[in-house]
Amino acid sequence: MSDQAIILFAHGARDPDWAAPFGIIQKQLQAARPDTPVELAFQDFMTPTLEAAVVRCAARGARRIVLVPLFMAQGGHLKQDLPLLVGKVREQHPQVELQVLPAIGDVPEILQAIADWVLRATVV
């Protein structure tokens, strides 16, 4: 068992079907790294919360958690809410190192993959 975990952090929605793509990503990552816990966490409307996901990962032996914000654009949740949540988690779980990756919308490779897909999908 790895001492690292991955938390995929998304906004959340009232409709449970909204989270299906994130569940697929979670399963793909878990299959690629079977010894590394991969959790989903949500800002609003859905569970678990970020804090609950951190608690679960720590209970499974994670000493380092990589947090992946699955947000396409910088908004209030990434600019204000996420730093507050991360600060709270770090304060409540000082034994766990929490690394926050850039939001997926800030990753040039992700944006290029989307543009490439659109170009392929719109070939006439």
Side-chain angles (χ1 to χ4, degrees):
M1 181 62 82
S2 173
D3 68 344
Q4 176 175 286
I6 298 169
I7 295 177
L8 305 172
F9 182 65
H11 184 276
R14 289 179 179 89
D15 181 350
D17 292 341
W18 174 89
F22 305 118
I24 292 169
I25 295 169
Q26 178 190 25
K27 287 176 183 160
Q28 290 172 335
L29 290 169
Q30 194 65 77
R33 294 202 183 151
D35 292 336
T36 301
V38 180
E39 295 277 343
L40 285 173
F42 300 97
Q43 169 76 34
D44 291 316
F45 307 116
M46 302 178 100
T47 58
T49 63
L50 177 58
E51 185 177 352
V54 168
V55 167
R56 289 202 319 223
C57 291
R60 293 178 66 187
R63 296 183 184 276
R64 179 173 182 267
I65 296 173
V66 179
L67 177 62
V68 183
L70 299 178
F71 288 74
M72 283 301 296
Q74 291 286 330
H77 287 314
L78 289 181
K79 291 179 179 179
Q80 285 98 31
D81 299 337
L82 184 57
L84 292 173
L85 286 171
V86 167
K88 181 179 176 184
V89 166
R90 285 181 173 147
E91 192 175 284
Q92 293 177 343
H93 305 279
Q95 76 284 6
V96 176
E97 175 191 345
L98 187 61
Q99 176 189 0
V100 182
L101 295 184
I104 60 170
D106 292 333
V107 179
E109 296 88 350
I110 301 288
L111 299 176
Q112 187 63 56
I114 293 169
D116 291 345
W117 177 84
V118 170
L119 290 172
R120 286 189 309 275
T122 58
V123 171
V124 289

